[in-house]
Amino acid sequence: MIVLASILFGAALGWYRASRLSALTSDRLQWAAAHAFAFGLVGLFAAIFILRGAA
């Protein structure tokens, strides 16, 4: 669940940051995808860290 939430948050943040630069829709999608990927990796490592620490 953490990974999905971080992916969605990253995509929204990337879209917002690109829209502040008055970027085209394709640029906004690229920024959203890049942020979603990065935040997804961070969320994945956070989830692994939490699950490994709980066991």
Side-chain angles (χ1 to χ4, degrees):
M1 195 67 179
I2 294 172
V3 178
L4 181 61
S6 62
I7 288 172
L8 292 175
F9 178 73
L13 181 65
W15 187 274
Y16 173 72
R17 288 186 64 196
S19 66
R20 287 189 62 202
L21 297 172
S22 300
L24 299 175
T25 304
S26 59
D27 295 328
R28 292 178 188 185
L29 287 172
Q30 184 176 5
W31 276 64
H35 280 73
F37 181 75
F39 275 70
L41 282 177
V42 171
L44 177 65
F45 285 118
I48 290 172
F49 179 74
I50 290 169
L51 291 174
R52 297 283 288 179

PDB file of all heavy atoms in Angstrom, residues 6-15 17-18 28-41:
ATOM      1  N   SER A   6       2.919   6.088  -2.714  1.00  0.00           N
ATOM      2  CA  SER A   6       4.070   6.899  -3.110  1.00  0.00           C
ATOM      3  C   SER A   6       4.129   7.093  -4.624  1.00  0.00           C
ATOM      4  O   SER A   6       4.539   8.148  -5.094  1.00  0.00           O
ATOM      5  CB  SER A   6       5.368   6.277  -2.587  1.00  0.00           C
ATOM      6  OG  SER A   6       5.562   5.008  -3.140  1.00  0.00           O
ATOM      7  N   ILE A   7       3.697   6.092  -5.390  1.00  0.00           N
ATOM      8  CA  ILE A   7       3.647   6.248  -6.852  1.00  0.00           C
ATOM      9  C   ILE A   7       2.637   7.323  -7.237  1.00  0.00           C
ATOM     10  O   ILE A   7       2.918   8.197  -8.065  1.00  0.00           O
ATOM     11  CB  ILE A   7       3.315   4.905  -7.528  1.00  0.00           C
ATOM     12  CG1 ILE A   7       4.507   3.971  -7.447  1.00  0.00           C
ATOM     13  CG2 ILE A   7       2.912   5.107  -8.986  1.00  0.00           C
ATOM     14  CD1 ILE A   7       4.222   2.566  -7.921  1.00  0.00           C
ATOM     15  N   LEU A   8       1.468   7.272  -6.637  1.00  0.00           N
ATOM     16  CA  LEU A   8       0.440   8.273  -6.949  1.00  0.00           C
ATOM     17  C   LEU A   8       0.867   9.668  -6.511  1.00  0.00           C
ATOM     18  O   LEU A   8       0.652  10.655  -7.230  1.00  0.00           O
ATOM     19  CB  LEU A   8      -0.884   7.888  -6.289  1.00  0.00           C
ATOM     20  CG  LEU A   8      -1.560   6.642  -6.851  1.00  0.00           C
ATOM     21  CD1 LEU A   8      -2.803   6.302  -6.033  1.00  0.00           C
ATOM     22  CD2 LEU A   8      -1.900   6.824  -8.307  1.00  0.00           C
ATOM     23  N   PHE A   9       1.483   9.764  -5.343  1.00  0.00           N
ATOM     24  CA  PHE A   9       1.964  11.065  -4.865  1.00  0.00           C
ATOM     25  C   PHE A   9       3.065  11.593  -5.782  1.00  0.00           C
ATOM     26  O   PHE A   9       3.093  12.785  -6.110  1.00  0.00           O
ATOM     27  CB  PHE A   9       2.480  10.954  -3.431  1.00  0.00           C
ATOM     28  CG  PHE A   9       3.039  12.241  -2.908  1.00  0.00           C
ATOM     29  CD1 PHE A   9       2.206  13.286  -2.578  1.00  0.00           C
ATOM     30  CD2 PHE A   9       4.410  12.404  -2.768  1.00  0.00           C
ATOM     31  CE1 PHE A   9       2.727  14.487  -2.103  1.00  0.00           C
ATOM     32  CE2 PHE A   9       4.938  13.578  -2.299  1.00  0.00           C
ATOM     33  CZ  PHE A   9       4.095  14.629  -1.968  1.00  0.00           C
ATOM     34  N   GLY A  10       3.972  10.729  -6.199  1.00  0.00           N
ATOM     35  CA  GLY A  10       5.046  11.146  -7.093  1.00  0.00           C
ATOM     36  C   GLY A  10       4.529  11.612  -8.441  1.00  0.00           C
ATOM     37  O   GLY A  10       5.002  12.609  -8.986  1.00  0.00           O
ATOM     38  N   ALA A  11       3.537  10.902  -8.983  1.00  0.00           N
ATOM     39  CA  ALA A  11       2.959  11.313 -10.260  1.00  0.00           C
ATOM     40  C   ALA A  11       2.276  12.670 -10.139  1.00  0.00           C
ATOM     41  O   ALA A  11       2.421  13.533 -11.015  1.00  0.00           O
ATOM     42  CB  ALA A  11       1.974  10.264 -10.753  1.00  0.00           C
ATOM     43  N   ALA A  12       1.548  12.867  -9.055  1.00  0.00           N
ATOM     44  CA  ALA A  12       0.879  14.154  -8.848  1.00  0.00           C
ATOM     45  C   ALA A  12       1.895  15.277  -8.665  1.00  0.00           C
ATOM     46  O   ALA A  12       1.722  16.380  -9.209  1.00  0.00           O
ATOM     47  CB  ALA A  12      -0.044  14.074  -7.635  1.00  0.00           C
ATOM     48  N   LEU A  13       2.955  15.005  -7.934  1.00  0.00           N
ATOM     49  CA  LEU A  13       3.988  16.017  -7.722  1.00  0.00           C
ATOM     50  C   LEU A  13       4.702  16.357  -9.029  1.00  0.00           C
ATOM     51  O   LEU A  13       4.971  17.527  -9.316  1.00  0.00           O
ATOM     52  CB  LEU A  13       4.991  15.538  -6.682  1.00  0.00           C
ATOM     53  CG  LEU A  13       6.108  16.509  -6.338  1.00  0.00           C
ATOM     54  CD1 LEU A  13       5.551  17.752  -5.669  1.00  0.00           C
ATOM     55  CD2 LEU A  13       7.133  15.832  -5.449  1.00  0.00           C
ATOM     56  N   GLY A  14       5.008  15.342  -9.828  1.00  0.00           N
ATOM     57  CA  GLY A  14       5.660  15.587 -11.113  1.00  0.00           C
ATOM     58  C   GLY A  14       4.781  16.389 -12.051  1.00  0.00           C
ATOM     59  O   GLY A  14       5.249  17.297 -12.744  1.00  0.00           O
ATOM     60  N   TRP A  15       3.502  16.054 -12.101  1.00  0.00           N
ATOM     61  CA  TRP A  15       2.563  16.812 -12.940  1.00  0.00           C
ATOM     62  C   TRP A  15       2.482  18.261 -12.480  1.00  0.00           C
ATOM     63  O   TRP A  15       2.499  19.191 -13.286  1.00  0.00           O
ATOM     64  CB  TRP A  15       1.181  16.159 -12.875  1.00  0.00           C
ATOM     65  CG  TRP A  15       0.203  16.774 -13.820  1.00  0.00           C
ATOM     66  CD1 TRP A  15      -0.579  17.864 -13.590  1.00  0.00           C
ATOM     67  CD2 TRP A  15      -0.090  16.355 -15.155  1.00  0.00           C
ATOM     68  NE1 TRP A  15      -1.334  18.137 -14.691  1.00  0.00           N
ATOM     69  CE2 TRP A  15      -1.063  17.229 -15.656  1.00  0.00           C
ATOM     70  CE3 TRP A  15       0.369  15.316 -15.954  1.00  0.00           C
ATOM     71  CZ2 TRP A  15      -1.580  17.095 -16.936  1.00  0.00           C
ATOM     72  CZ3 TRP A  15      -0.152  15.191 -17.223  1.00  0.00           C
ATOM     73  CH2 TRP A  15      -1.113  16.074 -17.703  1.00  0.00           C
ATOM     74  N   ARG A  17       4.769  20.007 -10.743  1.00  0.00           N
ATOM     75  CA  ARG A  17       6.013  20.727 -11.011  1.00  0.00           C
ATOM     76  C   ARG A  17       6.145  21.098 -12.479  1.00  0.00           C
ATOM     77  O   ARG A  17       6.610  22.193 -12.818  1.00  0.00           O
ATOM     78  CB  ARG A  17       7.204  19.894 -10.571  1.00  0.00           C
ATOM     79  CG  ARG A  17       7.340  19.810  -9.056  1.00  0.00           C
ATOM     80  CD  ARG A  17       8.584  19.114  -8.646  1.00  0.00           C
ATOM     81  NE  ARG A  17       9.742  19.878  -9.083  1.00  0.00           N
ATOM     82  CZ  ARG A  17      10.969  19.385  -9.151  1.00  0.00           C
ATOM     83  NH1 ARG A  17      11.192  18.137  -8.819  1.00  0.00           N
ATOM     84  NH2 ARG A  17      11.969  20.139  -9.551  1.00  0.00           N
ATOM     85  N   ALA A  18       5.723  20.214 -13.375  1.00  0.00           N
ATOM     86  CA  ALA A  18       5.800  20.509 -14.803  1.00  0.00           C
ATOM     87  C   ALA A  18       4.788  21.579 -15.190  1.00  0.00           C
ATOM     88  O   ALA A  18       5.060  22.422 -16.051  1.00  0.00           O
ATOM     89  CB  ALA A  18       5.565  19.244 -15.611  1.00  0.00           C
ATOM     90  N   ARG A  28       4.503  17.068 -19.205  1.00  0.00           N
ATOM     91  CA  ARG A  28       3.895  16.810 -17.900  1.00  0.00           C
ATOM     92  C   ARG A  28       3.794  15.317 -17.633  1.00  0.00           C
ATOM     93  O   ARG A  28       4.039  14.863 -16.514  1.00  0.00           O
ATOM     94  CB  ARG A  28       2.514  17.447 -17.826  1.00  0.00           C
ATOM     95  CG  ARG A  28       2.554  18.951 -17.818  1.00  0.00           C
ATOM     96  CD  ARG A  28       1.177  19.548 -17.790  1.00  0.00           C
ATOM     97  NE  ARG A  28       1.270  20.991 -17.965  1.00  0.00           N
ATOM     98  CZ  ARG A  28       0.251  21.812 -17.901  1.00  0.00           C
ATOM     99  NH1 ARG A  28      -0.964  21.337 -17.694  1.00  0.00           N
ATOM    100  NH2 ARG A  28       0.426  23.098 -18.055  1.00  0.00           N
ATOM    101  N   LEU A  29       3.440  14.550 -18.663  1.00  0.00           N
ATOM    102  CA  LEU A  29       3.369  13.101 -18.506  1.00  0.00           C
ATOM    103  C   LEU A  29       4.746  12.509 -18.221  1.00  0.00           C
ATOM    104  O   LEU A  29       4.880  11.582 -17.405  1.00  0.00           O
ATOM    105  CB  LEU A  29       2.766  12.462 -19.750  1.00  0.00           C
ATOM    106  CG  LEU A  29       1.267  12.662 -19.954  1.00  0.00           C
ATOM    107  CD1 LEU A  29       0.855  12.147 -21.327  1.00  0.00           C
ATOM    108  CD2 LEU A  29       0.495  11.958 -18.863  1.00  0.00           C
ATOM    109  N   GLN A  30       5.758  13.033 -18.876  1.00  0.00           N
ATOM    110  CA  GLN A  30       7.113  12.528 -18.651  1.00  0.00           C
ATOM    111  C   GLN A  30       7.583  12.860 -17.237  1.00  0.00           C
ATOM    112  O   GLN A  30       8.185  12.021 -16.569  1.00  0.00           O
ATOM    113  CB  GLN A  30       8.073  13.112 -19.675  1.00  0.00           C
ATOM    114  CG  GLN A  30       9.471  12.549 -19.557  1.00  0.00           C
ATOM    115  CD  GLN A  30      10.400  13.065 -20.636  1.00  0.00           C
ATOM    116  OE1 GLN A  30      10.030  13.926 -21.421  1.00  0.00           O
ATOM    117  NE2 GLN A  30      11.614  12.546 -20.662  1.00  0.00           N
ATOM    118  N   TRP A  31       7.326  14.057 -16.783  1.00  0.00           N
ATOM    119  CA  TRP A  31       7.687  14.436 -15.420  1.00  0.00           C
ATOM    120  C   TRP A  31       6.931  13.580 -14.413  1.00  0.00           C
ATOM    121  O   TRP A  31       7.496  13.137 -13.410  1.00  0.00           O
ATOM    122  CB  TRP A  31       7.369  15.911 -15.178  1.00  0.00           C
ATOM    123  CG  TRP A  31       8.430  16.856 -15.646  1.00  0.00           C
ATOM    124  CD1 TRP A  31       8.838  17.056 -16.928  1.00  0.00           C
ATOM    125  CD2 TRP A  31       9.201  17.726 -14.842  1.00  0.00           C
ATOM    126  NE1 TRP A  31       9.811  18.012 -16.964  1.00  0.00           N
ATOM    127  CE2 TRP A  31      10.051  18.449 -15.695  1.00  0.00           C
ATOM    128  CE3 TRP A  31       9.238  17.992 -13.487  1.00  0.00           C
ATOM    129  CZ2 TRP A  31      10.947  19.393 -15.230  1.00  0.00           C
ATOM    130  CZ3 TRP A  31      10.133  18.938 -13.021  1.00  0.00           C
ATOM    131  CH2 TRP A  31      10.975  19.627 -13.884  1.00  0.00           C
ATOM    132  N   ALA A  32       5.644  13.343 -14.677  1.00  0.00           N
ATOM    133  CA  ALA A  32       4.840  12.527 -13.771  1.00  0.00           C
ATOM    134  C   ALA A  32       5.371  11.101 -13.721  1.00  0.00           C
ATOM    135  O   ALA A  32       5.470  10.502 -12.643  1.00  0.00           O
ATOM    136  CB  ALA A  32       3.382  12.538 -14.209  1.00  0.00           C
ATOM    137  N   ALA A  33       5.745  10.541 -14.863  1.00  0.00           N
ATOM    138  CA  ALA A  33       6.273   9.176 -14.898  1.00  0.00           C
ATOM    139  C   ALA A  33       7.612   9.084 -14.177  1.00  0.00           C
ATOM    140  O   ALA A  33       7.861   8.123 -13.435  1.00  0.00           O
ATOM    141  CB  ALA A  33       6.412   8.717 -16.340  1.00  0.00           C
ATOM    142  N   ALA A  34       8.469  10.052 -14.388  1.00  0.00           N
ATOM    143  CA  ALA A  34       9.779  10.030 -13.735  1.00  0.00           C
ATOM    144  C   ALA A  34       9.648  10.149 -12.220  1.00  0.00           C
ATOM    145  O   ALA A  34      10.312   9.427 -11.458  1.00  0.00           O
ATOM    146  CB  ALA A  34      10.648  11.159 -14.278  1.00  0.00           C
ATOM    147  N   HIS A  35       8.794  11.049 -11.770  1.00  0.00           N
ATOM    148  CA  HIS A  35       8.579  11.208 -10.334  1.00  0.00           C
ATOM    149  C   HIS A  35       7.900   9.975  -9.744  1.00  0.00           C
ATOM    150  O   HIS A  35       8.230   9.559  -8.625  1.00  0.00           O
ATOM    151  CB  HIS A  35       7.748  12.456 -10.042  1.00  0.00           C
ATOM    152  CG  HIS A  35       8.548  13.724 -10.066  1.00  0.00           C
ATOM    153  ND1 HIS A  35       9.009  14.275 -11.234  1.00  0.00           N
ATOM    154  CD2 HIS A  35       8.960  14.537  -9.070  1.00  0.00           C
ATOM    155  CE1 HIS A  35       9.669  15.384 -10.949  1.00  0.00           C
ATOM    156  NE2 HIS A  35       9.668  15.558  -9.635  1.00  0.00           N
ATOM    157  N   ALA A  36       6.949   9.397 -10.460  1.00  0.00           N
ATOM    158  CA  ALA A  36       6.275   8.196  -9.975  1.00  0.00           C
ATOM    159  C   ALA A  36       7.280   7.054  -9.817  1.00  0.00           C
ATOM    160  O   ALA A  36       7.233   6.307  -8.832  1.00  0.00           O
ATOM    161  CB  ALA A  36       5.155   7.799 -10.926  1.00  0.00           C
ATOM    162  N   PHE A  37       8.179   6.900 -10.772  1.00  0.00           N
ATOM    163  CA  PHE A  37       9.196   5.860 -10.690  1.00  0.00           C
ATOM    164  C   PHE A  37      10.109   6.077  -9.486  1.00  0.00           C
ATOM    165  O   PHE A  37      10.373   5.148  -8.706  1.00  0.00           O
ATOM    166  CB  PHE A  37      10.009   5.831 -11.982  1.00  0.00           C
ATOM    167  CG  PHE A  37      11.060   4.774 -12.003  1.00  0.00           C
ATOM    168  CD1 PHE A  37      10.723   3.448 -12.177  1.00  0.00           C
ATOM    169  CD2 PHE A  37      12.392   5.107 -11.841  1.00  0.00           C
ATOM    170  CE1 PHE A  37      11.694   2.460 -12.191  1.00  0.00           C
ATOM    171  CE2 PHE A  37      13.366   4.138 -11.856  1.00  0.00           C
ATOM    172  CZ  PHE A  37      13.021   2.812 -12.024  1.00  0.00           C
ATOM    173  N   ALA A  38      10.587   7.299  -9.315  1.00  0.00           N
ATOM    174  CA  ALA A  38      11.499   7.597  -8.214  1.00  0.00           C
ATOM    175  C   ALA A  38      10.815   7.417  -6.861  1.00  0.00           C
ATOM    176  O   ALA A  38      11.372   6.792  -5.948  1.00  0.00           O
ATOM    177  CB  ALA A  38      12.033   9.020  -8.355  1.00  0.00           C
ATOM    178  N   PHE A  39       9.612   7.948  -6.731  1.00  0.00           N
ATOM    179  CA  PHE A  39       8.897   7.824  -5.470  1.00  0.00           C
ATOM    180  C   PHE A  39       8.477   6.378  -5.224  1.00  0.00           C
ATOM    181  O   PHE A  39       8.405   5.936  -4.074  1.00  0.00           O
ATOM    182  CB  PHE A  39       7.676   8.744  -5.452  1.00  0.00           C
ATOM    183  CG  PHE A  39       7.987  10.149  -5.028  1.00  0.00           C
ATOM    184  CD1 PHE A  39       8.712  10.991  -5.856  1.00  0.00           C
ATOM    185  CD2 PHE A  39       7.549  10.641  -3.820  1.00  0.00           C
ATOM    186  CE1 PHE A  39       9.009  12.278  -5.484  1.00  0.00           C
ATOM    187  CE2 PHE A  39       7.831  11.931  -3.426  1.00  0.00           C
ATOM    188  CZ  PHE A  39       8.568  12.763  -4.258  1.00  0.00           C
ATOM    189  N   GLY A  40       8.203   5.639  -6.285  1.00  0.00           N
ATOM    190  CA  GLY A  40       7.875   4.230  -6.137  1.00  0.00           C
ATOM    191  C   GLY A  40       9.038   3.432  -5.575  1.00  0.00           C
ATOM    192  O   GLY A  40       8.851   2.559  -4.731  1.00  0.00           O
ATOM    193  N   LEU A  41      10.246   3.730  -6.049  1.00  0.00           N
ATOM    194  CA  LEU A  41      11.427   3.061  -5.501  1.00  0.00           C
ATOM    195  C   LEU A  41      11.640   3.405  -4.037  1.00  0.00           C
ATOM    196  O   LEU A  41      11.959   2.532  -3.222  1.00  0.00           O
ATOM    197  CB  LEU A  41      12.668   3.446  -6.309  1.00  0.00           C
ATOM    198  CG  LEU A  41      12.848   2.748  -7.642  1.00  0.00           C
ATOM    199  CD1 LEU A  41      14.089   3.282  -8.355  1.00  0.00           C
ATOM    200  CD2 LEU A  41      12.952   1.257  -7.450  1.00  0.00           C
TER     201      LEU A  41
END
